[in-house]
Amino acid sequence: QVRLVESGGGSVQAGGSLTLSCTVSRYTFSSTCMAWFRQAPGKEREGVAAIAIGSDRTSYRYTTDAVKGRFTISLDNAKNTAYLQMTNLKPEDTAMYYCAVDGPWHCSQGRFVVDQYVYWGQGAQVTVSS
């Protein structure tokens, strides 16, 4: 069974940085789409970053406007681990962050749509204080 485990969450002050990790077991990162989502209390889950991995291991990265220039998604194939590097954090970034895999083909359509992903992690809390 595919399993995703997030780590690296925590509390930081505004302007600080955190890096989240998502280690995936029993899954091959090839010809797939992987993404990070977040959900703040009382709000819907929203996508923040996605990465499309081709059969030749080439990758394409996407971020939403809310985090563009501050968040970076990456993948270490050898470790089967994805990362979300977050810099210049703001209080509005406070949320539970989830990784998800097996999304839409090449992340081409619906890459930030929750229902497009098959497997999800349990979440990692990120709290940013002002």
Side-chain angles (χ1 to χ4, degrees), residues 6-124:
E6 295 109 334
S7 61
S11 298
V12 296
Q13 289 190 328
S17 301
L18 280 175
T19 297
L20 301 180
S21 301
C22 174
T23 299
V24 187
S25 57
R26 298 182 181 178
Y27 188 82
T28 300
F29 282 102
S30 179
S31 298
T32 188
C33 179
M34 180 272 169
W36 287 93
F37 288 76
R38 67 185 181 186
Q39 187 167 19
K43 294 188 176 181
E44 291 188 354
R45 192 169 297 190
E46 63 173 1
V48 295
I51 183 167
I53 302 102
S55 57
D56 58 354
R57 300 297 176 91
T58 56
S59 62
Y60 298 89
R61 295 169 173 79
Y62 306 89
T63 52
T64 60
D65 289 343
V67 304
K68 196 174 296 289
R70 301 188 298 120
F71 289 14
T72 303
I73 187 171
S74 62
L75 177 67
D76 185 332
N77 278 299
K79 296 181 178 180
N80 234 40
T81 298
Y83 302 94
L84 182 68
Q85 184 179 2
M86 305 181 291
T87 62
N88 192 21
L89 283 160
K90 304 175 181 181
E92 52 263 43
D93 294 320
T94 295
M96 186 72 79
Y97 283 71
Y98 300 89
C99 58
V101 297
D102 209 14
W105 184 75
H106 281 297
C107 293
S108 57
Q109 300 254 351
R111 53 183 167 262
F112 293 130
V113 176
V114 171
D115 291 346
Q116 293 293 316
Y117 290 82
V118 177
Y119 304 105
W120 291 81
Q122 83 288 352

